[in-house]
Amino acid sequence: MDTCFPSQTFPGLDLDFLGPKRSGKVRDIYERDDQLILITTDRLSAFDHILGLVPFKGQVLNQLAQFWFEETSDIVANHFLESPDPNVTIGRKCRPLPVELVVRGYISGVTKTSLWYRYSQGERFIYGMEFPDGMSKNEQLPQPVITPTTKAEKGGHDELITSREIVEKGLVEAGLWERICETALALFVRGQEKAARGGLLLVDTKYEFGLAEDGDLLLIDEIHTPDSSRFWTESSYREVLDCSAQEEGKGLRPVEPENYDKEFVRLAYAEQGYIGDGPPPPLAVDLAAQASLRYTGCYEFLTGRPFVAGEMPVADRVASCLRTRFGRQ
Ligand SMILES: Nc1ncnc2c1ncn2[C@@H]1O[C@H](COP(=O)(O)OP(=O)(O)O)[C@@H](O)[C@H]1O
Ligand SMILES: [Mg+2]
């Protein structure tokens, strides 16, 4: 993959001694018995394409997920076992459930599965729930809602699905589904509380769950990262509310809150006229650099710790760590 930061970015790597590799959009995955080695790369995916590489993104995602797994382990068990390198997690291998849970605290978003998109198209009964007339974009919901989607096979699109359909189709057993929904809401509340301490609003987020071999329910993949979530700065959200109140009726476009997540890149593409039709233009160097600052900034706001970059080049460091650990001696 082309990159303007060849020695500072991490596109992924092939490690033959770990056996066959499976690649998601962002992670490279190797299986070892009942464990997974999840290597988080710097790939940035949006509009169902990998747009390019963002320096430090992989490390931020891996270390933020670890932070949150530790912060939420009293709510639900998770797959995290250890992180032998800043970009690597070793986790318990699971059978992932075929649905993802998106929890939303605000009515927002521009993609077709987002609440605001559907609401703005005139729908008032969305994801099996009733919404009143008169809501505005980015308004906080009276309470967070769960909007599930099916988990698409590689290359496919996630499809909307209601809780009733999930149970009726036998995708998840009723009792388990109820437990998962309660868990997701509890995780979301914890995320909002903790993010608020760093001046961020957790707007919405996605959770994945799996069942371990012994039947344990585990939170898997990642949690409350800027890839799986939207974060707004609390101060900018307050400004937007003030501004909208003043400008109501003047027909002005609402200003967007300042975001510390992937939406930043999506909005920059949308401003240049790209909204997902055809192949996307590659990620420009300055946009990659700005996105990098958003990702490391997000880490710092949420954890309250400075971001400390691991040794470069990342690929050499990851390879050497895993070779020492798993390679043939
Ligand atoms: N503990 C786990 N057990 C099984 N699969 C997992 C586990 N944790 C994450 N995964 C899966 O590994 C993949 C992570 O790679 P990623 O690049 O995020 O994929 P995607 O393109 O699907 O987002 C996802 O498909 C996720 O469902
Ligand atoms: Mg993923």
Side-chain angles (χ1 to χ4, degrees):
M1 184 182 301
D2 287 342
T3 169
C4 297
F5 304 100
S7 62
Q8 291 160 39
T9 44
F10 177 47
L13 77 174
D14 291 310
L15 297 170
D16 294 341
F17 60 88
L18 290 178
K21 176 173 89 169
R22 181 159 62 91
S23 287
K25 291 185 284 285
V26 174
R27 294 174 181 77
D28 288 345
I29 304 140
Y30 295 89
E31 299 197 2
R32 296 196 65 87
D33 307 319
D34 58 351
Q35 297 185 350
L36 285 186
I37 302 170
L38 293 141
I39 304 174
T40 310
T41 72
D42 290 337
R43 301 194 288 263
L44 183 133
S45 109
F47 308 107
D48 289 327
H49 289 273
I50 293 165
L51 304 182
L53 301 170
V54 172
F56 310 124
K57 178 175 179 284
Q59 182 181 338
V60 164
L61 295 184
N62 188 60
Q63 293 189 327
L64 251 188
Q66 177 182 352
F67 169 81
W68 283 112
F69 281 133
E70 286 163 0
E71 289 284 332
T72 57
S73 60
D74 60 316
I75 298 176
V76 64
N78 59 62
H79 78 166
F80 182 85
L81 294 170
E82 61 170 306
S83 173
D85 175 277
N87 286 63
V88 180
T89 282
I90 299 183
R92 282 173 72 185
K93 186 163 74 188
C94 284
R95 188 164 58 79
L97 294 175
V99 280
E100 298 183 347
L101 287 90
V102 178
V103 182
R104 301 171 193 267
Y106 296 76
I107 184 162
S108 181
V110 287
T111 62
K112 293 198 174 133
T113 53
S114 72
L115 274 186
W116 178 250
Y117 176 83
R118 304 185 74 92
Y119 188 90
S120 65
Q121 300 292 300
E123 283 185 47
R124 292 293 177 269
F125 193 70
I126 317 166
Y127 293 99
M129 289 170 293
E130 228 17 274
F131 289 83
D133 281 336
M135 295 195 76
S136 30
K137 185 167 189 223
N138 299 336
E139 192 175 321
Q140 186 169 18
L141 296 165
Q143 70 259 329
V145 299
I146 297 176
T147 58
T149 59
T150 57
K151 195 165 149 51
E153 295 297 315
K154 201 170 179 176
H157 291 277
D158 296 345
E159 300 287 345
L160 309 180
I161 189 165
T162 63
S163 286
R164 177 191 279 238
E165 287 168 326
I166 289 169
V167 173
E168 278 176 4
K169 288 186 177 168
L171 297 177
V172 184
E173 184 271 317
L176 179 61
W177 179 246
E178 201 177 315
R179 183 173 153 214
I180 289 173
C181 289
E182 278 167 18
T183 303
L185 290 174
L187 291 170
F188 192 70
V189 169
R190 176 72 54 85
Q192 287 196 313
E193 286 168 358
K194 189 95 194 144
R197 274 181 251 163
L200 291 183
L201 299 175
L202 173 58
V203 178
D204 45 41
T205 196
K206 176 217 67 168
Y207 302 110
E208 289 185 42
F209 292 89
L211 295 175
E213 206 139 82
D214 57 8
D216 275 2
L217 176 69
L218 298 183
L219 179 66
I220 63 168
D221 201 47
E222 61 181 331
I223 160 169
H224 302 162
T225 72
D227 263 17
S228 67
S229 323
R230 254 185 283 247
F231 294 100
W232 293 333
T233 57
E234 214 242 316
S235 53
S236 73
Y237 184 65
R238 224 162 330 131
E239 275 169 33
V240 170
L241 289 186
D242 291 349
C243 192
S244 315
Q246 282 168 25
E247 287 168 359
E248 210 160 349
K250 288 192 204 156
L252 295 174
R253 217 173 111 243
V255 191
E256 288 291 323
E258 184 186 31
N259 45 17
Y260 270 80
D261 54 55
K262 207 163 70 170
E263 192 79 355
F264 173 74
V265 174
R266 286 202 202 96
L267 290 171
Y269 269 67
E271 260 164 40
Q272 290 160 30
Y274 181 84
I275 52 160
D277 299 319
L283 189 66
V285 192
D286 58 340
L287 188 54
Q290 289 173 54
S292 181
L293 287 173
R294 298 274 161 154
Y295 275 82
T296 54
C298 188
Y299 174 91
E300 297 192 338
F301 284 133
L302 292 174
T303 63
R305 304 173 196 151
F307 174 77
V308 181
E311 210 176 293
M312 303 270 176
V314 182
D316 295 356
R317 192 194 69 223
V318 169
S320 137
C321 164
L322 293 174
R323 197 171 289 110
T324 309
R325 176 76 186 262
F326 297 110
R328 255 180 238 130
Q329 307 297 316

